[in-house]
Amino acid sequence: AQKVTQAQTEISVVEKEDVTLDCVYETRDTTYYLFWYKQPPSGELVFLIRRNSFDEQNEISGRYSWNFQKSTSSFNFTITASQVVDSAVYFCALSDIRQGAQKLVFGQGTRLTINP
Amino acid sequence: EAQVTQNPRYLITVTGKKLTVTCSQNMNHEYMSWYRQDPGLGLRQIYYSMNVEVTDKGDVPEGYKVSRKEKRNFPLILESPSPNQTSLYFCASKMGQTHSGANVLTFGAGSRLTVL
């Protein structure tokens, strides 16, 4: 069975600090996709990134970067020079690649608070 | 604008009073799904639908019903709500079948349900 674990329930940092959100996953599939979603205080779920299991290159988008390591089944998310607007709950999720894939399995979420 | 629309956004009801949360998408997506979000548990799938008249149970289907008579609509029905169904509910959709595991879910804004 697929499982995603976000061990950090809550993180609180001061603005401009760097922060890393951990995500560890379990799957028996050899091919799969990993996702990160952001849920700001307004409540909607915002897609941030998708990464397939064949591509272990790290990705950077502005202040955001993602580190995918298949050897440790981890897909960590780092925010550099954090800002108050980054305060949100962040979810890591896993999906298989087979046709007709039925669901996205989510982690428990990490609540990130950036203090001014 | 491409979107998933849920109604109502907020609802307070009493135990046993049947209710329906509607979900509609305008992207011609085959796949639709309902999730519930509870503190510390992340998002858990209730039901999903691969296409019209094709529905199946997710991880937590007890106490819920769904139907998919039209491609765009996927209502969630609580026949006899109970307090343990107090939660934040999300409807989501994505393109199905080919590469469906890779496709990104688009979420509705959420429906916060309280059952007294």
Side-chain angles (χ1 to χ4, degrees), chain A residues 74-86:
Chain A
S74 64
F75 185 44
N76 297 336
F77 173 30
T78 297
I79 301 174
T80 303
S82 59
Q83 300 177 1
V84 172
V85 293
D86 296 325

Side-chain angles (χ1 to χ4, degrees), chain A residues 3-16:
Chain A
K3 184 179 179 183
V4 176
T5 301
Q6 295 178 254
Q8 304 152 307
T9 305
E10 295 192 31
I11 299 175
S12 181
V13 300
V14 177
E15 199 170 20
K16 297 184 183 172

